[in-house]
Amino acid sequence: MPGLACALSRRAEDDPKLLTLMEAYAHADGVTADWQRNIERMAREHLAAWVVGERHVEVFVPCA
């Protein structure tokens, strides 16, 4: 999706051997449900070797 921005963050207090990572995606027109499904599919395919536990999705919208 042209214009899709991605940021990757880690929890500051995590043990360096077992990190909690957060991906954040944004687009000026919003991230559609189709794109959300595509992002999740690609993440499952490409990150499975490193994921411990279940991934989950949280969706945020601007409040101000």
Side-chain angles (χ1 to χ4, degrees), residues 25-48:
Y25 300 91
H27 190 278
D29 297 328
V31 176
T32 66
D34 284 341
W35 268 100
Q36 185 175 332
R37 283 189 293 276
N38 285 333
I39 290 167
E40 274 301 301
R41 179 186 50 77
M42 289 186 281
R44 278 192 308 276
E45 291 173 4
H46 297 286
L47 302 176

Side-chain angles (χ1 to χ4, degrees), residues 3-64:
L4 182 67
C6 176
L8 182 65
S9 302
R10 69 173 176 83
R11 184 170 288 161
E13 65 273 8
D14 274 350
D15 177 340
K17 295 177 185 173
L18 187 62
L19 299 176
T20 301
L21 299 176
M22 179 182 72
E23 308 142 48
Y25 300 91
H27 190 278
D29 297 328
V31 176
T32 66
D34 284 341
W35 268 100
Q36 185 175 332
R37 283 189 293 276
N38 285 333
I39 290 167
E40 274 301 301
R41 179 186 50 77
M42 289 186 281
R44 278 192 308 276
E45 291 173 4
H46 297 286
L47 302 176
W50 296 282
V51 174
V52 176
E54 294 292 319
R55 289 176 48 86
H56 71 274
V57 174
E58 297 180 25
V59 178
F60 293 82
V61 296
C63 60

